[in-house]
């Protein structure tokens, strides 16, 4: 739909969905705070034309509402996916009549892919040089503990050194020196796989970093696509046309013709340097850890390049709306890829990987558990920390509806499985060890086994200062902090006979008022516990079988070893307060 960033910005201007800010704004903390406040108000995209100390304009909040995401892509991608899914039975095996009936769909699919254009028809080639400084980019410092400015909408292109399959991923880039950055390649992502293969051969991996281009590229780089699905093909699907590429002498990768910037270089093998801290999309800081470095050797750019950026932090931020769109787009594929999975949703409020919910088929005893294992083995879903599964048709986006559907059918001795000592999302620190933690599957299958309580009548609970109902069957309890009483969850277990007997799930939190709103409940609870450490229940071991019984208590209090929540520094709050009306003067 949009072949470059300018086309999208032009549409936003016509629809009054973008504001130009001509006042000088500092990319260090000030611009990100302004962006966050506009996000909170469901406000427009922002084009900053006077960025302090920089010569390049910055655009942010391009996808910060459902409407703007829809404007970026229109209905065609979703219609193509739905048509493809509905055509599978009809076209397998293909017949002439079936092909003719679906000729419009086949034409749409045949038009996807890439096409090569000449250098003179590729705006990315307007300037090419080896004399550049990455620190001249108007990269943002979003939070005051961030170690450096970071590129937050990077499009990192790599190819497998043997198979030459490509990956386009969004791996944050820390600008360290004029021609050196960090590259946050997590162990379970496509670019990381390519680097591992090159490192096994003791070779540097060529990398091209793109900024800007068609909005579809930014979405594709985030999308949790199966390894076999090329991101450039997916971008073409979102655009509804072929993606323009161009070849340049001496560079191993084609360039995206309509990108704003491209940087070429290599990631050397066996070299690691500290990367971070960085305030990430979980809403906490990720600490400094050793990651590969990217040595940048050449730059290509448009003459009037625009720098696209985003800001991450405690949900909801811009990535929330991108994630919602991707799930809406890809949801028709889940029953095809994972037979028996009726619906699937991951929750942006939890950083996506911390919680997933699914509606599955249950045609025989515990069939749903088999589908749960299938989900946990699929692509980036392998990073899911907590999976809830039911066969009851529910609206997964309404989490309380899912949770009630599970708890109505939940028997702890049968329906709770905790898997110890597994890999974890790099950004999740609840497992007490980097990249390592545990997972849990909670099933609610078959017919209901209880009627859920919806009001609490259990009376005072020892040392608790508040008890609130989140939904039927689930309570939130607050009391002493973890530092004051690390064993308080076990203490609460002793109260379950009298106070919590009819409640199958109790969440121990620092402030029980989070039960009043889904977003705060999801973020607080699922980013603050590791199943193996923090799920408490009475139980026995029968041979190799753990049998839980009674109320399940999850300790989702902040722990002293968790990284801190990202918060705006007081002086930056005051600065943006004082300049608020000034920013929007024409």
């Amino acid at each position: 739909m949009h072949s470059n960033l300018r086309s999208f910005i032009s549409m936003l201007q016509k629809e009054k969905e973008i504001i130009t800010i001509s006042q000088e704004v500092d990319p260090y903390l000030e611009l990100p705070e302004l962006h966050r406040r506009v996000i909170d108000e469901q406000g427009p995209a922002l084009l900053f034309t006077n960025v302090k100390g920089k010569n390049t304009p910055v655009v942010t909040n391009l996808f910060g509402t459902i409407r703007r995401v829809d404007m970026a892509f229109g209905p065609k991608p979703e219609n193509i996916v739905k048509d493809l899914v509905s055509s599978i039975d009809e076209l397998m095996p293909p017949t002439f009549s079936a092909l003719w009936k679906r000729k419009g769909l086949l034409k749409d699919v045949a038009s996807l892919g890439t096409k090569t254009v000449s250098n003179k028809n590729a705006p990315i080639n307007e300037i090419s040089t080896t004399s550049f400084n990455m620190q001249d980019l108007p990269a943002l410092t979003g939070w005051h503990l961030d170690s450096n400015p970071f590129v937050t909408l990077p499009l990192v292109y790599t190819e497998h050194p043997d198979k030459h399959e490509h990956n386009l991923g969004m791996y944050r880039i820390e600008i360290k020196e004029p021609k050196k950055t960090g590259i946050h390649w997590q162990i379970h992502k496509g670019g990381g796989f390519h680097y591992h293969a090159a490192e096994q051969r003791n070779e540097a991996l060529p990398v091209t970093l793109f900024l800007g281009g068609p909005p579809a590229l930014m979405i594709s780089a985030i999308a949790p696509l199966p390894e076999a699905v090329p991101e450039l093909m997916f971008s073409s699907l979102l655009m509804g046309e072929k993606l323009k590429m161009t070849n340049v002498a001496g560079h191993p990768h084609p360039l995206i013709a309509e990108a704003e910037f491209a940087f070429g270089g290599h990631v050397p093998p066996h070299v690691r340097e500290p990367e971070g801290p960085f305030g990430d999309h979980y809403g906490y800081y990720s600490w400094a850890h050793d990651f590969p470095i990217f040595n940048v050797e050449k730059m290509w750019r448009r003459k009037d390049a625009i720098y696209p950026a985003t800001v991450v932090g405690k949900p909801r931020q811009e990535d929330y709306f991108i994630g919602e769109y991707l799930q809406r787009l890809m949801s028709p594929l889940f029953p095809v890829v994972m037979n028996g999975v009726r619906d699937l949703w991951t929750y942006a409020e939890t950083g996506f990987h911390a919680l997933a919910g699914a509606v599955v088929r249950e045609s025989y005893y515990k069939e749903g558990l088999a589908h749960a294992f299938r989900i946990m083995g699929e692509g980036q879903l392998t990073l899911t920390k907590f999976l809830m599964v039911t066969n009851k048709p529910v609206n997964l986006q309404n989490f309380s509806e899912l949770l009630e559907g599970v708890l109505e059918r939940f028997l702890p001795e049968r329906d709770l499985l905790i898997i110890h000592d597994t890999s974890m999302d790099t950004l999740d620190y609840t497992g007490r060890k980097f990249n390592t933690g545990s997972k849990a599957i909670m099933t609610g299958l078959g017919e209901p086994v209880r009627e859920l309580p919806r009001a609490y009548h259990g009376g005072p609970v020892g040392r608790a200062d508040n008890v609130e109902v989140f939904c039927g069957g689930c309570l939130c309890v607050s009391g002493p902090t973890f530092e004051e009483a690390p064993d308080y969850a076990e203490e609460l277990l002793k109260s379950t006979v009298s106070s919590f007997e009819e409640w199958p799930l109790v969440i121990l939190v620092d402030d029980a008022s989070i039960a009043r709103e889904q977003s705060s409940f999801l973020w607080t609870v699922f980013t603050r516990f590791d199943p193996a450490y923090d799920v408490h229940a009475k139980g026995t071991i029968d041979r190799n079988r753990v049998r839980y019984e009674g109320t399940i208590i999850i300790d989702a209090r902040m722990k002293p070893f968790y990284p801190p929540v990202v918060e705006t520094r007081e002086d930056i709050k005051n600065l943006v307060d004082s300049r608020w009306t000034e920013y929007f003067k024409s």
Side-chain angles (χ1 to χ4, degrees):
M1 186 173 179
H2 296 285
S3 61
N4 56 45
L5 182 61
R6 283 98 195 298
S7 167
F8 186 39
I9 290 174
S10 177
M11 174 184 275
L12 295 179
Q13 289 169 335
K14 289 177 184 176
E15 295 291 326
K16 297 184 173 15
E17 281 281 347
I18 190 168
I19 289 178
T20 298
I21 296 179
S22 57
Q23 308 299 317
E24 184 181 76
V25 181
D26 197 331
Y28 177 78
L29 302 182
E30 182 185 10
L31 190 158
E33 173 63 8
L34 173 53
H35 166 105
R36 286 190 292 269
R37 294 195 190 188
V38 173
I39 281 273
D40 286 343
E41 296 178 4
Q42 289 285 277
L46 303 171
L47 179 62
F48 298 89
T49 58
N50 187 3
V51 181
K52 184 177 180 180
K54 310 296 179 181
N55 296 319
T56 303
V58 173
V59 64
T60 75
N61 200 19
L62 290 167
F63 308 108
T65 63
I66 294 172
R67 180 169 188 255
R68 285 203 294 281
V69 173
D70 288 339
M71 287 171 65
F73 309 113
K76 190 170 183 179
E78 290 184 74
N79 291 338
I80 289 177
V81 171
K82 289 174 183 176
D83 285 349
L84 280 170
V85 170
S86 65
S87 301
I88 287 174
D89 290 339
E90 194 171 345
L91 295 176
M92 301 298 277
T95 64
F96 179 79
S97 60
L99 291 170
W100 181 256
K101 182 180 177 182
R102 295 287 185 170
K103 61 183 183 296
L105 172 63
L106 296 174
K107 182 180 178 182
D108 285 337
V109 173
S111 68
L112 304 180
T114 62
K115 69 176 181 180
T116 302
V117 300
S118 66
N119 286 174
K120 67 179 182 180
N121 291 320
I124 190 62
N125 274 316
E126 288 175 349
I127 296 174
S128 62
T129 180
T130 56
S131 299
F132 63 92
N133 185 341
M134 295 291 286
Q135 293 169 323
D136 290 337
L137 290 173
L140 308 183
T141 304
W143 303 99
H144 61 272
L145 295 184
D146 288 0
S147 52
N148 274 302
F150 284 79
V151 179
T152 51
L153 279 179
L155 306 171
V156 180
Y157 180 93
T158 57
E159 294 181 356
H160 193 285
D162 297 317
K163 304 173 185 176
H164 302 294
E165 298 165 346
H166 78 259
N167 174 259
L168 186 75
M170 193 164 284
Y171 314 112
R172 72 186 189 224
I173 298 290
E174 179 183 2
I175 299 180
K176 295 170 172 282
E177 297 177 11
K179 291 188 178 179
K180 183 174 80 172
T181 78
I183 184 165
H184 192 84
W185 264 333
Q186 298 179 28
I187 58 175
H188 39 261
K189 301 290 178 70
F193 293 149
H194 291 178
Y195 178 62
H196 176 74
E199 201 169 45
Q200 293 295 105
R201 296 161 52 140
N202 204 33
E203 295 176 358
L205 182 69
V207 170
T208 305
L209 165 65
F210 296 103
L211 301 176
L217 288 170
M218 303 176 210
I219 303 299
S220 297
I222 297 171
L225 301 173
E227 289 301 314
V229 178
E231 284 82 8
L232 298 187
M233 178 66 79
F234 189 69
S235 298
S236 177
L237 167 67
L238 295 177
M239 293 167 60
E241 60 184 77
K242 290 186 184 294
L243 178 67
K244 295 177 183 176
M245 310 290 289
T246 190
N247 296 311
V248 293
H251 188 62
H253 300 153
L255 300 184
I256 296 164
E258 295 281 355
E260 300 292 315
F261 292 89
F263 298 90
H266 291 81
V267 178
H270 314 297
V271 177
R272 304 289 190 275
E273 291 185 4
E275 188 266 2
F278 177 74
D280 65 50
H281 72 275
Y282 271 63
Y284 306 85
Y285 285 96
S286 53
W287 290 134
H289 299 283
D290 288 343
F291 276 90
I293 62 167
F294 175 32
N295 292 320
V296 193
E297 296 153 11
K298 189 166 184 178
M299 177 183 74
W300 299 263
R301 58 169 289 177
R302 289 175 178 257
K303 289 179 181 176
D304 57 348
I306 300 171
Y307 179 89
T310 191
V311 178
V312 293
K314 181 180 175 181
R316 300 181 182 180
Q317 300 296 332
E318 194 173 354
D319 58 344
Y320 175 93
F321 301 97
I322 295 171
E324 296 272 292
Y325 172 76
L326 284 169
Q327 295 195 82
R328 197 173 77 213
L329 176 67
M330 300 175 73
S331 60
L333 296 172
F334 295 140
V336 177
V337 176
M338 296 178 282
N339 188 27
V341 177
R342 307 297 193 200
D343 199 6
L344 178 66
W345 196 257
T346 62
Y347 293 85
E349 297 94 338
T350 72
F352 294 105
H353 294 318
L355 174 66
V359 177
V360 299
R361 183 181 65 208
E362 174 80 352
S363 54
Y364 58 85
Y365 179 69
K366 295 301 286 277
E367 180 190 6
L369 183 60
H371 298 313
F373 287 141
R374 178 69 177 87
I375 292 167
M376 298 286 263
E378 180 64 37
Q380 290 190 38
L381 288 167
T382 59
L383 296 173
T384 302
K385 178 169 71 175
F386 204 92
L387 173 63
M388 292 188 176
V389 171
T390 185
N391 63 305
K392 180 182 179 181
V394 295
N395 174 14
L396 292 176
Q397 295 179 54
N398 181 348
F399 178 71
S400 61
E401 192 175 328
L402 166 65
L403 184 54
E404 288 181 2
V406 170
L407 294 179
E408 285 172 343
R409 294 158 175 78
F410 175 73
L411 293 174
E413 67 273 18
R414 181 190 71 184
D415 295 325
L416 179 62
L417 175 64
I418 296 176
I419 305 164
H420 297 256
D421 196 25
T422 69
S423 64
M424 289 284 286
D425 185 2
T426 298
L427 305 180
D428 189 331
Y429 284 82
T430 59
R432 277 69 167 175
K433 184 179 177 184
F434 188 52
N435 284 330
T436 306
S438 66
K439 303 180 186 300
I441 298 173
M442 187 175 188
T443 60
L445 303 167
E447 296 300 316
V449 297
R450 66 170 60 81
E451 186 173 333
L452 299 175
R454 298 184 178 275
Y456 178 68
H457 303 294
V461 177
R463 293 209 285 172
D465 57 35
N466 193 15
V467 178
E468 298 208 14
V469 176
F470 171 66
C471 67
C474 178
L475 287 177
C476 287
V477 177
S478 56
T481 67
F482 184 87
E483 290 174 285
E484 293 168 338
D487 297 323
Y488 186 52
E490 289 294 319
E491 186 179 320
L492 281 182
L493 269 183
K494 298 173 184 176
S495 305
T496 57
V497 174
S498 57
S499 300
F500 304 141
E501 185 175 18
E502 59 179 348
W503 294 86
L505 182 62
V506 172
I507 313 290
L508 177 56
V509 291
D510 292 302
D511 179 1
S513 69
I514 58 110
R516 301 170 194 172
E517 203 265 325
Q518 173 171 301
S519 183
S520 60
F521 175 86
L522 289 173
W523 177 70
T524 302
V525 172
F526 289 92
T527 64
R528 296 186 184 178
F529 80 89
D530 175 81
Y533 281 95
D534 299 314
V535 174
H536 298 260
K538 296 174 183 176
T540 57
I541 298 177
D542 178 10
R543 293 182 180 268
N544 296 312
R545 181 181 179 186
V546 179
R547 296 178 59 91
Y548 304 105
E549 60 183 68
T551 302
I552 304 297
I553 296 179
I554 294 177
D555 186 349
R557 294 175 294 173
M558 276 292 285
K559 316 298 190 297
F561 42 84
Y562 289 176
V565 173
V566 292
E567 294 180 330
T568 302
R569 208 169 63 191
E570 195 64 30
D571 61 318
I572 299 300
K573 282 184 184 177
N574 295 337
L575 173 65
V576 175
D577 283 344
S578 67
R579 297 194 64 194
W580 188 252
T581 56
E582 178 189 346
Y583 293 129
F584 303 104
K585 289 180 181 177
S586 56

